[in-house]
Amino acid sequence: MAAPTPTTDIAVLGALSVEPMSGYELRNAIQDVLGHFWSESFGQIYPALNRLREQGLVDARPGERASSSVFEITAQGRARLSELLSSPIRDRPPRNGLMLRLFFGRHLGVDQCMALLDETEATARSQLAHLRATHAEVEREDLPDAPYFLITIDLGIRTSEATLEWVDAARERLRRLDTMTSPLEQH
Amino acid sequence: MAAPTPTTDIAVLGALSVEPMSGYELRNAIQDVLGHFWSESFGQIYPALNRLREQGLVDARPGERASSSVFEITAQGRARLSELLSSPIRDRPPRNGLMLRLFFGRHLGVDQCMALLDETEATARSQLAHLRATHAEVEREDLPDAPYFLITIDLGIRTSEATLEWVDAARERLRRLDTMTSPLEQH
DNA sequence: CCGGCCATGTAATGTGTTACATGATTTA
DNA sequence: TAAATCATGTAACACATTACATGGCCGG
């Protein structure tokens, strides 16, 4: 009967430890703020919220709208959060579809690989812009959580920057490959 | 009846496009070579191999041992691989347990966060060593796939290096936090 | 008054891991 | 000959997403 490690509970309790909110807002908050390293769907959030309420880890009080509830973390919930945060990290094995395609890129061709790099660059750039904006916002607000928020944002920024540098290097490598094989002899 | 995008098939056909091997070897190869961005379990590999054989995408011939088969990609299999490589990338949303814990690190305490950073550093260092070794090995062997292999290894190396720099910066931030709150007043 | 967002929830589906079961072969 | 590794496979389970279903509320 080993307790499963419900990582969803960490995200939910953690978000509610910052500020009480509805399930809907919870999902948006997770998407906006934790989006670069975490994600939760409604299909996870609502059942989790009900379960946590039954366990006394969150309280539900009626929201401004008739159909909405505002969920608030309880003292027990905070204790549980600390406990969950200390639990061993069960990382799912990595699965990076982009890398898989580039690794076998010889069967895909230089042009399509270049297109994948373009996509990657665009994604990294927009992510970087979003992270820098969030970074500035967190520094402005001066919350008690701020140093921890900034640490995670910082990794996102560094990773995005490294990705952009890598894209350039990868393009260069593909270009060299192209000029070496293409003008002389195909295949 | 939209065809699912069996990413396992890409990994299996891709690996077999480099070299024929048994299911067991396949798993080891994926773990060793693609390990920093991909993973497959036996529970995926063996059913996939049988399915691919029924579809004529791989051939099975008896291996050296009585109980083993060597799987070889067919011409159809190569065509299918090219097709699959062009299919849209369906990335699973990210879920980084380390980041989740650091983000809510205020409830975890500076010491435990430091311990998480230590773990991260150790992992990144060993990964970096492994990647550099693989990089050197690939350059030595001079395969036709080499440029593509090197591109993916390069991202791994850059990401690991960025992670190590981030660990230092994060420690610095936690230290500043510690000396600011601890000697003056707790909480 | 209609489109879009806020809000909650469930069922179906897919995907992938883990544990189990079995046995051959090599190595110490 | 015992332990480790090679080798294949299945069943149970866990986890999460997607799609669906429903309805209130607000702005143009």
Side-chain angles (χ1 to χ4, degrees):
Chain A
M1 197 186 269
T5 307
T7 49
T8 295
D9 291 4
I10 304 184
V12 169
L13 290 173
L16 294 180
S17 81
V18 179
E19 191 180 13
M21 57 189 121
S22 71
Y24 186 86
E25 289 171 318
L26 200 46
R27 201 262 185 137
N28 287 342
I30 289 172
Q31 207 161 61
D32 291 349
V33 188
L34 313 185
H36 66 106
F37 64 80
W38 203 262
S39 129
E40 293 292 347
S41 61
F42 287 130
Q44 291 277 102
I45 287 177
Y46 287 114
L49 239 18
N50 288 326
R51 190 166 27 79
L52 293 172
R53 193 189 45 203
E54 282 164 24
Q55 296 170 359
L57 304 177
V58 305
D59 270 345
R61 53 181 176 76
E64 290 179 17
R65 295 172 169 228
S67 62
S68 79
S69 301
V70 174
F71 295 90
E72 198 165 354
I73 192 168
T74 64
Q76 279 179 66
R78 286 182 192 277
R80 177 77 178 136
L81 175 59
S82 293
E83 193 187 314
L84 287 174
L85 286 171
S86 301
S87 67
I89 298 176
R90 302 286 307 158
D91 267 330
R92 287 186 298 184
R95 289 205 142 195
N96 186 325
L98 170 72
M99 290 293 103
L100 189 62
R101 281 158 181 82
L102 287 177
F103 193 88
F104 299 115
R106 188 165 65 89
H107 304 275
L108 194 56
V110 170
D111 289 350
Q112 284 199 66
C113 288
M114 284 290 192
L116 289 174
L117 292 176
D118 290 347
E119 264 183 72
T120 306
E121 187 190 9
T123 306
R125 278 196 196 289
S126 77
Q127 169 142 293
L128 190 52
H130 182 251
L131 287 170
R132 286 212 234 260
T134 310
H135 191 281
E137 202 183 324
V138 170
E139 276 194 326
R140 224 180 301 122
E141 286 177 16
D142 194 41
L143 302 158
D145 285 304
Y148 299 95
F149 291 0
L150 292 176
I151 282 173
T152 59
I153 293 170
D154 188 35
L155 180 59
I157 289 174
R158 286 169 190 270
T159 303
S160 299
E161 286 171 345
T163 301
L164 289 174
E165 285 164 27
W166 166 80
V167 166
D168 284 341
R171 282 196 185 116
E172 188 54 42
R173 220 189 268 272
L174 287 181
R175 267 195 294 270
R176 279 204 302 273
L177 187 67
D178 213 25
T179 55
M180 275 177 71
T181 58
S182 171
L184 302 172
E185 47 187 326
Q186 308 279 19
H187 184 183
Chain B
M1 195 186 270
T5 308
T7 49
T8 295
D9 291 3
I10 304 184
V12 169
L13 290 174
L16 294 181
S17 82
V18 178
E19 192 180 13
M21 56 188 120
S22 71
Y24 186 86
E25 289 171 317
L26 200 47
R27 201 263 184 134
N28 286 342
I30 289 172
Q31 207 160 62
D32 291 349
V33 187
L34 313 184
H36 66 106
F37 65 79
W38 203 262
S39 130
E40 295 291 346
S41 61
F42 288 131
Q44 292 276 102
I45 287 177
Y46 287 114
L49 239 20
N50 288 328
R51 192 165 26 79
L52 294 172
R53 192 188 46 205
E54 283 163 24
Q55 296 170 359
L57 305 176
V58 305
D59 270 346
R61 53 181 176 78
E64 288 179 20
R65 295 166 169 233
S67 62
S68 79
S69 302
V70 174
F71 296 90
E72 196 165 356
I73 192 169
T74 64
Q76 280 178 65
R78 286 182 192 277
R80 177 79 178 135
L81 174 59
S82 293
E83 194 187 317
L84 287 173
L85 287 170
S86 300
S87 68
I89 298 175
R90 303 285 306 158
D91 266 332
R92 289 187 298 185
R95 289 206 144 197
N96 186 324
L98 170 71
M99 288 294 103
L100 190 63
R101 280 159 181 80
L102 287 178
F103 193 88
F104 300 115
R106 189 165 63 91
H107 303 275
L108 194 55
V110 170
D111 289 352
Q112 284 200 65
C113 288
M114 285 289 193
L116 288 174
L117 291 175
D118 290 347
E119 264 182 71
T120 306
E121 187 189 7
T123 306
R125 279 197 195 290
S126 78
Q127 168 141 292
L128 191 53
H130 182 251
L131 288 170
R132 286 211 234 261
T134 310
H135 190 281
E137 201 182 324
V138 170
E139 276 193 326
R140 226 181 299 121
E141 286 178 17
D142 193 41
L143 302 158
D145 285 304
Y148 298 95
F149 291 1
L150 293 176
I151 281 174
T152 61
I153 293 170
D154 187 34
L155 180 60
I157 289 174
R158 285 168 192 268
T159 303
S160 298
E161 286 171 344
T163 300
L164 289 174
E165 286 164 28
W166 166 78
V167 165
D168 284 340
R171 281 196 185 116
E172 189 52 43
R173 220 189 267 274
L174 287 179
R175 266 195 294 271
R176 278 204 303 273
L177 188 67
D178 213 25
T179 53
M180 275 176 69
T181 58
S182 170
L184 302 171
E185 47 187 324
Q186 308 278 17
H187 184 175

